[in-house]
Amino acid sequence: MKEKLIKESQIFLLAVAIFTRIPVSASVPYSEELKNESYKYCGLVGLLIGCLTAIVFSAANAIWPVEVSVVISMAFSIYATGAFHEDGFADTCDGFGGGFTPEKKLEIMKDSRIGAYALLGMIMILLLKYTSLVSLEQIPLALIIAHVLSRSMAVSFIYTHGYVRQTEQSKLKVAKSPSSKSDFVTLLVVAALTTLLIPTFKLAVLLIVTLIAARLWFSRWMVKQVGGYTGDALGAVQQMSEVLCYLVFLAV
């Protein structure tokens, strides 16, 4: 039992190391197998980032107005994750917006340069985050819930869809990601427990239904564009799901 707990804690720390800039001990073991298994804890990584972001917002709000505090919390979230998801969203905007074939879309997404689609997409997504957050009454709670559910949403595609990559011959290859049902269950359990934090039953139902509908759309969107998911596309899903959570909070 003790060995199992130690292993799971190491897998969680590996997930933190992969998806954030939070320092993790170099003694944490790494392998492709452990990396694949660490995805199940992305919801917990979201909980960690969400709680830290909520703390930063609350501390800033004790000194400055809500508008300033929201910007500070957003900046902290971006820094704490190394703009990991934002970068994926920007690349996806450029690739899906600028390419006419799946191969071309993937080629554009690998380009480190920022195009018009990425620039406009980032401006719009950040504006949506800011304007929706400053209009909310329970900002810390919304931050925590949105960070958990959006990451759970994005990573869930690893267990249900094929991973797309471009071969040297400029052809697409769709491979099923290595995953296990138990890992998928762990991801879903963390997300389900997080919904218990939602203050009203009406909001909980509306948020869950909205995210399920959004997942169906995201699935068709990615498959239509490139035939499956990519790391950048999952970053885009996380960003859009996070904003969607704020908008549902705001609507209710």
Side-chain angles (χ1 to χ4, degrees):
M1 183 65 179
K2 182 179 179 181
E3 292 180 356
K4 177 66 174 177
L5 289 174
I6 293 175
K7 179 184 177 182
E8 293 303 316
S9 65
Q10 290 176 336
I11 293 173
F12 169 69
L13 289 175
L14 181 59
V16 172
I18 293 172
F19 296 106
T20 76
R21 281 184 169 177
I22 298 174
V24 173
S25 173
S27 63
V28 174
Y30 174 86
S31 68
E32 284 299 314
E33 181 181 353
L34 291 175
K35 177 184 176 181
N36 292 330
E37 194 172 349
S38 71
Y39 297 147
K40 67 183 179 183
Y41 287 131
C42 277
L44 286 180
V45 173
L47 179 63
L48 174 61
I49 295 297
C51 288
L52 291 175
T53 304
I55 291 171
V56 169
F57 167 80
S58 299
N61 198 35
I63 306 172
W64 298 293
V66 171
E67 294 81 2
V68 176
S69 303
V70 165
V71 173
I72 291 174
S73 67
M74 288 173 60
F76 170 81
S77 174
I78 292 172
Y79 176 77
T81 59
F84 187 78
H85 306 291
E86 288 81 1
D87 180 65
F89 176 80
D91 286 341
T92 301
C93 288
D94 269 344
F96 287 9
F100 293 100
T101 65
E103 291 83 2
K104 187 61 177 178
K105 294 176 192 291
L106 292 178
E107 183 181 338
I108 293 173
M109 291 164 74
K110 290 180 180 179
D111 195 328
S112 60
R113 292 172 294 181
I114 297 296
Y117 288 105
L119 178 61
L120 293 172
M122 284 307 304
I123 290 173
M124 296 307 298
I125 200 89
L126 291 174
L127 279 175
L128 273 173
K129 281 186 186 183
Y130 170 78
T131 54
S132 57
L133 280 170
V134 296
S135 303
L136 290 175
E137 294 181 358
Q138 297 177 303
I139 295 175
L141 181 61
L143 286 169
I144 294 171
I145 293 173
H147 276 280
V148 176
L149 296 185
S150 63
R151 282 168 174 78
S152 300
M153 165 81 87
V155 174
S156 69
F157 286 99
I158 291 176
Y159 303 99
T160 59
H161 288 61
Y163 175 71
V164 182
R165 67 181 179 86
Q166 198 168 18
T167 65
E168 294 180 359
Q169 293 76 25
S170 296
K171 294 182 179 179
L172 296 183
K173 181 178 180 180
V174 181
K176 194 67 178 178
S177 302
S179 60
S180 70
K181 291 183 178 179
S182 62
D183 290 351
F184 191 25
V185 170
T186 299
L187 183 76
L188 293 179
V189 167
V190 172
L193 291 176
T194 302
T195 62
L196 298 177
L197 299 174
I198 301 174
T200 67
F201 180 75
K202 177 183 177 181
L203 176 57
V205 171
L206 182 58
L207 185 56
I208 292 171
V209 170
T210 301
L211 290 177
I212 291 174
R215 191 182 191 280
L216 294 174
W217 185 86
F218 289 143
S219 174
R220 293 185 61 184
W221 176 59
M222 289 190 293
V223 171
K224 181 180 179 180
Q225 293 290 332
V226 293
Y229 79 87
T230 69
D232 287 332
L234 295 190
V237 169
Q238 187 280 322
Q239 287 291 288
M240 291 186 286
S241 299
E242 182 184 339
V243 170
L244 193 57
C245 288
Y246 301 144
L247 292 176
V248 173
F249 264 82
L250 186 59
V252 176

